[in-house]
Amino acid sequence: MLQAHMVCHTHWDREWYKTRMEFRPQLVRLVDNLLDVLETSPDFTSFMLDGQTIALEDYLEVRPYHRDRLASAVRAGRLFIGPWYILPDEQLVSGESHIRNFLIGRQVASAFGEPMHVGYLPDSFGHPEQMPQILAGLGMDTALFWRGASHEMEKTEFFWVAPDGYSTVLCIHMAHGYGTAAGLRSPSDDTLRRLRTMIGALHEKSSVDSVLLMNGSDHILPEPCVPAVVEAFNRSQDDCRLLLSTIPDFVRSVRASLPDGCKTFSGQFCYGDRSLLLGGTLSTRMPLKMKNFRVQSTMERVLEPLICLEKMNGGVFDFSGYQTLLWKYILRNHAHDSICGCSIDAVHEEMETRFGCLEQLQRQLLLDTWTRMQCPAPSDADAELLLFEPTQDRLPCYWECDVDFDTRLLSSVDFSTSTIVGHDATLPPAPEGIAIKDENDRDIPAVLLSVSTGETTRYDDFDLPRVYRSTRARIGLYLPGFDYGVHVLRLSRTAAAQLPVAEKPSCIENEFYHISYRAGDAGLTVTDKKSGRTHEGVHAFVDMGDAGDEYTYSWPTHDSVFGLDLKEAPQVTVTHAPGGFSATLTWKGALLLPRSLADDRLARRVETVSCPFITTVTLTKDVDRVDFDTCFDNRVQDHRLQVSFPVGTTCVHSSGSSAFSVTEHPVTRPVPDSWEEYPLPSALTHGFVDAGDGAYGLSLASCGMTEYEVQNHDGQSHIALTLLRCVGWLSRDDLNTRHGNGGWSLPTPGGQCPGVHHFSYSVTYHTGSWRQADTYAQAERRLHPVRLHQLTGTLSSPQNPLAFVSQLPPLVRLSACKPSETGRSIVVRLYSLADEETQLRLPLPSCVTEAHRVSLREERLERLVAADRQLAVTVGAREIVSVELVLRAVKDKAI
């Protein structure tokens, strides 16, 4: 007999067309009502709180005295919570954030009872190809989703295999969404007919005799009439049984009757064939996505690894509470209507505030960590810098920073009089030159760029702020490759004169590239010295109209490309850093762009506006990469701005980084006979893009911009990186690329992204494939620069126990180095980009006593036996591997 499992639930968008605080009273009413229904109506068997636990925290901020009622409902199996902290957009956030989302969701749920162990992902705007491995590693074998299915997915049940070839989950496609039985109201004849129709439609697509009815939708309160509706329906049917059920029970029913021969799919699920994908959110409100990149990078690649280094050197600072707090703040901006940029302006203004708070706390915790890692003993050097290398590849770079010499106390508080008093802060003569050595006595090439007077305020827990005056030197350092981890640079004064500055008025070059600009050209001319190829039109601005909304890009019916304002020739200047470490071409000009769409939205206005830009193009000694930084003043509306780079060959697919992977995308996407959203060529990047034919190609690094596309024209492929997509509506129903509305038709002038924006990105031309040329490492070097901090004393421990990370092969990448959830060990997470198995042998630091392979949940799987202090790890093709390093016990002490 056909069984229809009805699950009562709500889909809780924390913020969307209202702010989180405007939604808060509705959430409180929902949970108040739910608890009353569960406690007074035993026939109302259960309710699912949307697969996330943040709603519990939000509710308990208002009703803290109802915690026990919630816990009782969870323990009784009446209220289903988790497994996530929030329901994220799966595409735009890092792979690490998915794992932390689960770990924090589990942590919050543990105070109430057991969370739901199903990969419930009802409303994400696409699903990355590694999600099966993420779910399996977190202990979940089933995924439920709505958006992103293709026409090839004929049945609602199928298997999804990850790029490693064996991590597989059962997928259940919610073909009609998560509100198939919402708004029942009463057991009327109309209600029963509607249920019969929906059950028939779902059964037609299913390969089993169990279908899922979802009684609930966005922000909808529980309907107490549901048991009566179920009873009335069952009285009227002989061939179908309607059950009040749960997601886990429905999954068990499906698995029990799943036929042989279910199809298996792989790759990302990002199709608009059968439901709205809302893929324009890859580039909506790009400044928010760039801020998200910064806070994720600081957390994953700097702050957590520094805490691990401190622990490995004997420190016992309790970071666990900060770790949870920081990740909660990050995750609160990862809900799909938040990070996707498809909410009202007030929501995204609050996101800006949250990002600002995150950056403040991260900055302070980094300063505190630097301070704990040093001791007050004086150094025999004139100054010392603590350098943290966050990448594994030992690649050189040029870096500029300020260093203070001859620091003198300027003002402090006299406690006896409660006044701020001044001190004699006369400074000695400034240094004339700089010499630098690292901890291994290796000379670090450097040059003194400028000297001034600076003031610094120092803070102490047992004193009020003190102000110091010093000689502030701006120095340029050519940093050779360093092992991953912490290093010390020791600075000394010298009488060395400045090195002469080479002058080339119209071009820049290094060992790998020659770059010039010719007046009247749309872009730069770049000669790739490695291959001898010359590329014209590099970094051409491409601006087109956007008649879409926050969800979806849509071209105006009548559109054309705009770019440089050639009536006024762009200004080009060239500067060379002393010492020949780097050279920069500065390109100043303007884009002449239509002011906005016309009133009928079919074309752009004839009136144009000049939008200034400044692009700096930098080449560094011994670095096979061209670095771009662009400042653009957006003074127009309803447009999409891209920068385009010729590849030098024609390719059939491109590659873009995603969660724990580099995903291939076809350049030409087939258009199905029917679609809900037109298959646009735009694709996701987490910072790395490549296009090529296997013999030659171009790799691109993007610092926070998350959308690109590859276009074939003029006899070759071009990578177009989206800088801005500017629209003024949350949703509209008149798009050329989508059927119907994606949400509510509300004006969002902030979505036009007015004002000045800064973008950073790089390109590398290469022979062979990107794997053969190791361009992923060059991208990582650009995405995660070194961090430098001036010491006021000396480093308390010169050990760098994480240096072994730099012995990883190029295609096995570091994802995380974090304090474990238990707090007494650290977890190193790696992921492979190789298509074959890799055998690792890494030297264990002396502070490590045990090593274990662990799951993504950090549950131990196997003890890793190390011979001669060598850690032997097998990393499968495209596999994610986590290793727990147990540290030697240290004395408990407060820091």
Side-chain angles (χ1 to χ4, degrees):
M1 177 182 290
L2 175 61
Q3 288 188 339
H5 293 250
M6 183 180 287
V7 174
C8 300
H9 78 110
T10 191
H11 178 62
W12 192 259
D13 295 302
R14 191 172 187 247
E15 51 191 14
W16 180 21
Y17 54 85
K18 294 182 181 180
T19 66
R20 66 185 179 95
M21 284 306 182
E22 288 169 332
F23 271 131
R24 184 66 61 88
Q26 189 172 351
L27 174 66
V28 172
R29 290 194 297 273
L30 187 154
V31 181
D32 281 348
N33 180 279
L34 171 64
L35 291 173
D36 290 342
V37 169
L38 292 177
E39 291 168 357
T40 59
S41 301
D43 292 339
F44 194 101
T45 56
S46 64
F47 191 87
M48 183 184 66
L49 205 54
D50 203 28
Q52 51 184 324
T53 57
I54 193 171
L56 298 172
E57 292 185 331
D58 287 345
Y59 174 76
L60 290 173
E61 284 183 354
V62 180
R63 299 272 197 265
Y65 39 83
H66 285 175
R67 176 179 290 273
D68 290 343
R69 295 178 71 192
L70 286 168
S72 295
V74 174
R75 287 194 297 267
R78 305 285 302 284
L79 178 60
F80 283 76
I81 60 174
W84 313 107
Y85 182 60
I86 55 99
L87 283 182
D89 178 80
E90 295 171 50
Q91 295 274 81
L92 289 166
V93 303
S94 70
E96 281 301 316
S97 76
H98 288 304
I99 298 170
R100 313 311 175 87
N101 189 16
F102 174 87
L103 294 175
I104 291 178
R106 181 180 64 176
Q107 181 186 106
V108 173
S110 66
F112 302 91
E114 190 70 16
M116 185 172 68
H117 294 290
V118 177
Y120 185 65
L121 299 162
D123 201 23
S124 293
F125 304 161
H127 312 271
E129 64 179 359
Q130 282 285 25
M131 189 52 71
Q133 191 172 175
I134 294 171
L135 291 173
L138 294 172
M140 294 177 279
D141 59 9
T142 307
L144 275 72
F145 76 100
W146 171 29
R147 304 182 193 274
S150 73
H151 285 311
E152 293 183 356
M153 299 166 185
E154 298 167 345
K155 294 297 183 180
T156 50
E157 301 83 24
F158 52 86
F159 292 100
W160 187 13
V161 62
D164 64 356
Y166 66 87
S167 297
T168 304
V169 295
L170 170 65
C171 274
I172 301 175
H173 178 219
M174 304 164 73
H176 294 273
Y178 51 77
T180 49
L184 297 181
R185 302 292 186 267
S186 68
S188 65
D189 290 342
D190 286 344
T191 295
L192 301 186
R193 278 194 296 271
R194 178 188 153 203
L195 289 175
R196 282 194 294 269
T197 300
M198 179 54 66
I199 290 170
L202 291 169
H203 190 222
E204 184 180 354
K205 297 179 178 69
S206 178
S207 56
V208 297
D209 289 330
S210 296
V211 298
L212 177 64
L213 290 173
M214 299 294 286
N215 169 240
S217 190
D218 303 350
H219 310 106
I220 288 182
L221 274 65
E223 298 182 291
C225 68
V226 168
V229 171
V230 171
E231 183 180 357
F233 182 89
N234 287 333
R235 283 199 308 265
S236 69
Q237 300 293 311
D238 295 327
D239 59 348
C240 178
R241 179 76 176 168
L242 182 57
L243 307 172
L244 271 181
S245 186
T246 67
I247 291 291
D249 284 344
F250 169 68
V251 170
R252 282 189 284 270
S253 176
V254 170
R255 284 187 169 276
S257 56
L258 201 64
D260 294 334
C262 281
K263 286 187 176 182
T264 297
F265 295 91
S266 62
Q268 62 175 358
F269 292 169
C270 293
Y271 302 95
D273 300 5
R274 302 173 62 178
S275 58
L276 299 180
L277 180 66
L278 310 178
T281 54
L282 292 182
S283 51
T284 305
R285 300 184 189 259
M286 194 68 84
L288 286 174
K289 294 164 172 59
M290 291 190 288
K291 289 183 179 180
N292 181 63
F293 164 76
R294 289 200 299 270
V295 299
Q296 281 185 163
S297 177
T298 298
M299 191 67 183
E300 298 168 9
R301 305 304 294 265
V302 182
L303 183 54
E304 286 183 335
L306 277 171
I307 295 295
C308 290
L309 278 163
E310 183 182 10
K311 284 181 175 293
M312 297 177 84
N313 283 320
V316 293
F317 175 70
D318 183 4
F319 183 64
S320 59
Y322 286 115
Q323 188 172 19
T324 299
L325 177 65
L326 285 163
W327 273 109
K328 280 186 174 182
Y329 264 81
I330 293 171
L331 292 168
R332 287 167 189 171
N333 279 350
H334 284 182
H336 57 278
D337 293 310
S338 303
I339 192 60
C340 286
C342 52
S343 295
I344 60 173
D345 288 349
V347 165
H348 299 300
E349 290 164 5
E350 186 171 345
M351 286 180 67
E352 296 268 6
T353 300
R354 287 198 292 265
F355 278 132
C357 292
L358 270 166
E359 291 179 313
Q360 292 165 20
L361 182 54
Q362 287 178 331
R363 185 164 53 247
Q364 187 59 54
L365 287 171
L366 280 171
L367 287 172
D368 291 349
T369 304
W370 297 126
T371 300
R372 291 194 306 273
M373 293 176 74
Q374 63 183 343
C375 59
S379 170
D380 56 2
D382 292 320
E384 286 192 358
L385 294 176
L386 191 61
L387 179 149
F388 177 68
E389 173 53 73
T391 68
Q392 68 192 64
D393 303 292
R394 301 190 184 105
L395 291 177
C397 66
Y398 174 72
W399 199 252
E400 294 183 0
C401 67
D402 292 328
V403 179
D404 289 345
F405 291 90
D406 305 315
T407 301
R408 302 288 189 268
L409 180 63
L410 180 63
S411 61
S412 63
V413 172
D414 184 341
F415 288 101
S416 64
T417 60
S418 295
T419 57
I420 299 175
V421 297
H423 303 270
D424 180 13
T426 302
L427 297 173
E432 298 178 6
I434 296 292
I436 304 179
K437 291 183 178 292
D438 68 6
E439 69 272 15
N440 296 317
D441 209 35
R442 179 173 55 167
D443 289 324
I444 305 299
V447 64
L448 184 63
L449 300 175
S450 64
V451 176
S452 61
T453 300
E455 293 183 2
T456 303
T457 302
R458 296 182 185 175
Y459 304 92
D460 187 288
D461 290 346
F462 299 98
D463 200 352
L464 290 173
R466 292 186 167 214
V467 181
Y468 293 83
R469 176 175 290 163
S470 56
T471 299
R472 182 156 296 163
R474 184 74 177 172
I475 61 173
L477 302 88
Y478 178 75
L479 299 171
F482 283 91
D483 283 337
Y484 179 85
V486 168
H487 304 271
V488 176
L489 305 182
R490 300 166 58 84
L491 285 69
S492 302
R493 302 166 182 265
T494 71
Q498 297 283 8
L499 294 171
V501 178
E503 290 294 342
K504 290 186 179 180
S506 60
C507 64
I508 58 174
E509 63 181 313
N510 66 358
E511 298 87 341
F512 303 100
Y513 301 101
H514 179 281
I515 301 177
S516 62
Y517 177 74
R518 185 174 57 218
D521 286 352
L524 305 169
T525 298
V526 176
T527 297
D528 174 12
K529 293 182 177 180
K530 305 183 298 295
S531 67
R533 301 191 189 199
T534 295
H535 305 277
E536 305 282 349
V538 175
H539 196 281
F541 289 100
V542 178
D543 191 274
M544 300 185 71
D546 194 334
D549 54 25
E550 290 188 326
Y551 290 116
T552 308
Y553 165 77
S554 181
W555 55 79
T557 303
H558 309 289
D559 199 14
S560 56
V561 177
F562 288 80
L564 288 178
D565 180 2
L566 295 177
K567 294 178 182 178
E568 297 184 13
Q571 302 174 16
V572 174
T573 57
V574 169
T575 57
H576 289 73
F581 302 139
S582 71
T584 299
L585 183 150
T586 301
W587 184 22
K588 293 183 180 181
L591 306 184
L592 195 62
L593 307 178
R595 180 175 293 279
S596 66
L597 289 174
D599 291 340
D600 61 8
R601 298 181 64 84
L602 298 178
R604 301 172 82 175
R605 295 187 186 277
V606 175
E607 179 188 1
T608 57
V609 176
S610 181
C611 297
F613 75 88
I614 301 174
T615 294
T616 60
V617 189
T618 302
L619 294 176
T620 301
K621 179 178 180 293
D622 296 330
V623 174
D624 186 4
R625 196 181 65 237
V626 184
D627 295 336
F628 298 89
D629 291 275
T630 293
C631 175
F632 173 72
D633 187 355
N634 183 37
R635 300 176 178 179
V636 299
Q637 300 181 348
D638 308 319
H639 68 120
R640 183 182 67 176
L641 176 63
Q642 298 176 315
V643 284
S644 178
F645 300 89
V647 175
T649 186
T650 301
C651 54
V652 296
H653 68 263
S654 67
S655 301
S657 55
S658 56
F660 301 118
S661 189
V662 173
T663 302
E664 287 193 354
H665 307 279
V667 172
T668 302
R669 301 194 179 190
V671 180
D673 293 335
S674 63
W675 47 266
E676 291 299 310
E677 189 170 319
Y678 188 83
L680 293 165
S682 54
L684 169 75
T685 174
H686 280 193
F688 174 76
V689 176
D690 186 80
D693 60 5
Y696 190 76
L698 174 66
S699 292
L700 181 146
S702 163
C703 299
M705 291 79 77
T706 46
E707 179 188 87
Y708 79 97
E709 60 184 62
V710 173
Q711 307 152 346
N712 287 338
H713 58 82
D714 300 328
Q716 63 178 319
S717 297
H718 300 254
I719 298 177
L721 177 68
T722 302
L723 303 185
L724 288 175
R725 195 173 81 81
C726 307
V727 292
W729 291 88
L730 196 156
S731 182
R732 295 184 64 90
D733 62 1
D734 58 355
L735 275 60
N736 290 321
T737 56
R738 192 184 70 217
H739 295 312
N741 246 317
W744 309 109
S745 295
L746 298 171
T748 54
Q752 298 283 8
C753 301
V756 177
H757 303 277
H758 299 268
F759 309 97
S760 297
Y761 40 96
S762 303
V763 297
T764 300
Y765 285 97
H766 61 83
T767 55
S769 69
W770 64 266
R771 287 183 172 90
Q772 292 167 333
D774 196 19
T775 57
Y776 195 90
Q778 284 291 356
E780 286 256 294
R781 168 76 290 166
R782 174 68 158 152
L783 299 179
H784 308 294
V786 297
R787 299 291 182 108
L788 289 169
H789 174 77
Q790 184 169 357
L791 297 172
T792 57
T794 58
L795 191 64
S796 57
S797 174
Q799 301 300 316
N800 183 24
L802 286 174
F804 70 89
V805 169
S806 286
Q807 297 187 29
L808 291 171
L811 293 179
V812 177
R813 308 303 304 180
L814 177 71
S815 172
C817 179
K818 64 176 288 287
S820 69
E821 297 301 292
T822 63
R824 298 284 302 180
S825 57
I826 70 171
V827 171
V828 175
R829 186 154 27 252
L830 312 172
Y831 63 99
S832 173
L833 299 177
D835 292 326
E836 63 281 331
E837 182 178 276
T838 305
Q839 299 288 338
L840 302 181
R841 292 190 65 82
L842 303 172
L844 277 175
S846 60
C847 59
V848 174
T849 59
E850 298 176 27
H852 299 265
R853 190 163 183 156
V854 294
S855 70
L856 299 184
R857 298 163 62 104
E858 299 188 13
E859 296 169 337
R860 291 179 179 177
L861 302 175
E862 88 179 281
R863 183 163 181 163
L864 298 173
V865 179
D868 300 327
R869 301 295 295 173
Q870 294 287 312
L871 180 66
V873 184
T874 299
V875 182
R878 309 294 297 278
E879 187 180 20
I880 307 166
V881 172
S882 301
V883 176
E884 179 191 9
L885 302 179
V886 181
L887 306 181
R888 194 179 308 280
V890 296
K891 293 181 180 180
D892 291 329
K893 60 180 179 179
I895 294 184

